[in-house]
Amino acid sequence: MTDQIFIKGLVIHAHHGVMEHESEVGQRFVIDLDLTCDLAAAAASDHLADTVSYAAIAAETERAFTTRSFKLLEAAAGAVAEAVLAAFPKIRTVRVTVHKPHAPIAAIFDDVGVVLTRGRHD
């Protein structure tokens, strides 16, 4: 299947990180989602019921990402992937990229983050 829905650059303020100040003050994270699903029915019908609402995906992503404080980006991205798959049965796979632009690293860098891909096992 090659049909995809994507959301790029979803900015969320959250309290994730190993350092104490990260969990207290929080910081900006940027999330990209790439979702595979069969969009043939939506392409033919032009009805929202035949696809997945982008707004609902964004809301579920924000909820899963901010419900608790994670030490690791890997855990936060995993929570998003699991929540999206659980909430939207039409989605077959989800690729979650979490960017942490203000990571406390003693180096000059353009970007740092994680990418996780999860899918259904049926």
Side-chain angles (χ1 to χ4, degrees):
M1 174 186 342
T2 59
D3 299 343
Q4 291 187 351
I5 293 172
F6 66 88
I7 298 174
K8 302 289 184 191
L10 181 63
V11 177
I12 300 174
H13 186 272
H15 298 264
H16 306 313
V18 175
M19 309 292 282
E20 186 177 328
H21 73 274
E22 292 179 295
S23 61
E24 290 176 6
V25 177
Q27 61 190 291
R28 181 176 72 110
F29 295 85
V30 181
I31 298 177
D32 301 327
L33 299 166
D34 296 289
L35 314 157
T36 61
C37 55
D38 186 350
L39 298 176
S45 72
D46 197 27
H47 294 147
L48 181 59
D50 291 329
T51 190
V52 182
S53 164
Y54 313 152
I57 295 167
E60 183 62 24
T61 297
E62 183 167 5
R63 186 205 61 74
F65 196 72
T66 60
T67 294
R68 62 174 273 221
S69 179
F70 296 97
K71 293 194 181 308
L72 301 179
L73 287 184
E74 293 84 347
V80 169
E82 290 174 16
V84 168
L85 287 171
F88 305 103
K90 291 181 181 178
I91 294 174
R92 306 307 304 155
T93 65
V94 57
R95 180 176 186 234
V96 180
T97 303
V98 179
H99 306 263
K100 188 174 181 178
H102 304 291
I105 299 172
I108 297 171
F109 60 92
D110 285 332
D111 200 5
V112 64
V114 299
V115 180
L116 271 73
T117 303
R118 299 291 182 265
R120 298 198 182 279
H121 301 289
D122 49 39

